[in-house]
């Protein structure tokens, strides 16, 4: 099912674009830039997004929600951390870079020859101008917040082992405060969850109740761990002492077993979907940028050849009827009917970016759930790789083939 969507919905339309220059010559009608944009930059991305998201809803995946924005060290979009301070002055640099790239790109596409390599390179620079500023704005935002998210996720993973240890200690009749101190001695020193238990233990020593030590807005532990899973576990943790020390220990061990089973189900689900994710990863990193770049280079070559052939036949005055009798048609190309190479480059570039965006959301949702920072990272890295390969492949193919043809 997913293979049909990816190959028929993403790669096949890319291959069909090579026929666009031929339509102007052999059919006599060219595709307008507006039609190209409506099909490749609006209709196809929407259809593919709808199909992949519908497929995603059928997958049995569940992830705990980490609300990183509530963490005191999180960054808002457009912010950057300099030392311990947050600032938005950084936002000027991305806009300056975008304006500079757009200027150089726009200058290059002004070349008089309709199918010159500068049209491809200029179109790619304009693509970079639209995307580069956004990438620079996104990087500090998602990289900082992903570090926080990973730290919290590692604590979620460590809960199952730590609760077993704590439950075993308390089942022997040791009070909670003493059990927390012994637990810190048993846990690995590099485990992030040690700080969580250390904070709770400290708050209890200075006179706070267990509920205040965990959930107080001023000194509570939960403020640094904005996770739905951690919050739910700590809610149970706060209520358990009312049932007695030994029963609390047994309950903590039961919770630990439950968490381990959830993790096993998540790992098993990812293994089942590994074939799909590996296939889409190859498509995202290799096939989409290479195919889109090839189509731009090939279309530019075909346009250049067709215009040259058309000019040659147009120069043969008085031979139209003879040629028509010999071939059945006259090859004539109205250059105004052919989509400009820079427009085609931009359309294919944005099509590839949109497809990478759709595929990145799908892949990231399987691995991380609805984590907007991981989605943003996946999209930014994929788009940057796409633009680099798209530019290199498009210009190299065009340059090599045109130089070979001119050498004949």
């Amino acid at each position: 099912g997913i293979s049909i969507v990816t190959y028929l919905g993403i790669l096949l339309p890319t291959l069909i674009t090579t026929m666009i220059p031929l339509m102007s010559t052999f059919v006599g009608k060219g595709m307008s830039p507006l039609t190209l944009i409506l099909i490749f930059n609006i209709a196809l991305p929407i259809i593919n997004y709808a199909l992949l998201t519908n497929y995603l809803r059928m997958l049995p995946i569940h992830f705990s929600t980490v609300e990183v924005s509530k963490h005191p060290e999180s960054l808002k979009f457009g912010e950057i951390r300099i030392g311990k301070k947050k600032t938005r002055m950084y936002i000027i640099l991305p806009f300056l870079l975008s304006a500079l790239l757009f200027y150089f790109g726009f200058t290059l596409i002004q070349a008089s020859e309709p199918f010159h390599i500068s049209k491809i390179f200029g179109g790619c620079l304009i693509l970079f101008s639209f995307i580069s500023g956004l990438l620079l704005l996104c990087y500090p935002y998602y990289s900082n917040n992903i570090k926080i998210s990973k730290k919290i996720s590692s604590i979620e993973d460590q809960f199952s082992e730590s609760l077993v240890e704590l439950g075993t200690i308390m089942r022997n009749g040791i009070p909670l405060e003493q059990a927390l101190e012994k637990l810190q001695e048993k846990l690995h020193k590099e485990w992030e969850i040690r700080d969580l238990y250390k904070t709770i233990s400290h708050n209890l020593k200075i006179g706070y109740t267990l509920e205040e030590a965990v959930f107080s807005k001023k000194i509570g532990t939960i403020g640094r761990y904005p996770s739905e899973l951690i919050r739910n576990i700590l809610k149970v943790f706060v209520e358990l002492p009312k049932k007695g020390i030994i029963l609390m220990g047994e309950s903590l061990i039961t919770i630990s077993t439950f968490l381990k089973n959830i993790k096993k189900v998540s790992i098993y689900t990812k293994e089942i979907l590994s074939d799909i994710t590996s296939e889409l990863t190859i498509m995202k990193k290799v096939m989409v940028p290479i195919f889109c770049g090839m189509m731009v280079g090939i279309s530019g070559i075909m346009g250049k050849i067709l215009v040259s052939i058309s000019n040659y036949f147009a120069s043969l005055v008085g031979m139209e009827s003879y040629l028509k009798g010999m071939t059945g048609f006259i090859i004539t190309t109205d250059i105004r009917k052919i989509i400009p190479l820079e427009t085609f480059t931009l359309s294919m570039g944005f099509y590839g970016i949109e497809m990478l965006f759709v595929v990145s959301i799908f892949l990231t949702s399987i691995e991380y759930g609805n984590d907007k920072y991981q989605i943003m990272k996946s999209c930014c890295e994929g788009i940057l790789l796409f633009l680099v390969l798209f530019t290199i492949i498009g210009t190299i193919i065009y340059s090599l083939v045109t130089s070979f043809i001119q050498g004949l």
Side-chain angles (χ1 to χ4, degrees), residues 14-31:
T14 309
L15 295 173
I16 292 174
T17 57
T18 56
M19 303 302 294
I20 293 175
L22 293 174
M23 292 171 63
S24 302
T25 300
F26 296 105
V27 181
K29 294 181 180 179
M31 182 184 289

Side-chain angles (χ1 to χ4, degrees), residues 117-137:
I117 190 173
S118 62
K119 300 279 188 177
I120 296 177
F121 196 68
C124 292
L125 280 181
I126 292 175
L127 283 172
F128 269 105
S129 73
F130 284 114
I131 301 301
S132 59
L134 188 61
L135 295 182
L136 283 176
L137 284 173

Side-chain angles (χ1 to χ4, degrees), residues 92-124:
I92 299 172
L93 180 61
F95 285 108
L96 289 175
L97 178 62
S98 295
L100 188 64
L101 289 173
F102 184 85
Y103 171 76
F104 284 120
F106 187 76
T107 303
L108 286 172
I109 65 174
Q110 301 304 310
S112 56
E113 188 178 336
F115 291 95
H116 194 268
I117 190 173
S118 62
K119 300 279 188 177
I120 296 177
F121 196 68
C124 292

Side-chain angles (χ1 to χ4, degrees), residues 202-270:
H202 173 74
N203 290 343
L204 290 174
K205 286 180 181 178
I206 60 178
Y208 288 99
T209 65
L210 181 58
E211 186 173 358
E212 289 172 337
V214 175
F215 292 108
S216 171
K217 292 183 179 179
K218 292 182 179 179
I219 53 90
T221 306
I222 195 64
R224 297 191 64 82
Y225 306 99
S227 161
E228 183 182 357
L229 178 63
I230 294 175
R231 178 177 291 274
N232 290 333
I233 292 172
L234 290 179
K235 280 182 180 179
V236 177
F237 183 78
V238 168
E239 293 296 324
L240 284 176
K242 299 175 184 178
K243 298 181 179 181
I245 296 173
I246 295 175
L247 185 58
M248 180 178 181
E250 293 176 350
S251 299
L252 291 175
I253 293 172
T254 303
I255 293 171
S256 173
T257 304
F258 175 73
L259 292 174
K260 287 179 180 178
N261 290 335
I262 290 177
K263 188 174 181 180
K264 286 179 182 178
V265 171
S266 179
I267 293 171
Y268 178 69
T269 305
K270 288 180 181 179

Side-chain angles (χ1 to χ4, degrees), residues 387-400:
L387 287 174
V388 172
L389 291 177
F390 177 73
T391 304
I392 292 172
I393 292 168
T395 52
I396 285 178
I397 288 178
Y398 181 90
S399 300
L400 289 177

Side-chain angles (χ1 to χ4, degrees), residues 311-326:
N311 292 337
Y312 174 75
F313 278 99
S315 66
L316 301 176
V317 181
M319 297 188 66
E320 291 89 346
S321 57
Y322 173 75
L323 289 170
K324 188 172 183 179
M326 294 290 292

Side-chain angles (χ1 to χ4, degrees), residues 120-181:
I120 296 177
F121 196 68
C124 292
L125 280 181
I126 292 175
L127 283 172
F128 269 105
S129 73
F130 284 114
I131 301 301
S132 59
L134 188 61
L135 295 182
L136 283 176
L137 284 173
C138 289
Y139 178 74
Y141 176 63
Y142 73 70
S143 60
N144 177 81
N145 292 345
I146 282 176
K147 288 179 182 178
I148 298 171
S149 181
K150 284 183 176 180
K151 181 179 178 180
I152 295 172
S153 296
S154 68
I155 292 172
E156 291 178 346
D157 293 337
Q158 293 161 11
F159 249 118
S160 58
E161 295 297 331
S162 65
L163 289 177
V164 170
E165 294 289 346
L166 183 60
T168 303
I169 296 170
M170 295 189 70
R171 199 164 55 176
N172 295 325
I174 299 174
L176 178 60
E177 290 186 35
Q178 296 178 24
L180 287 173
E181 291 180 2

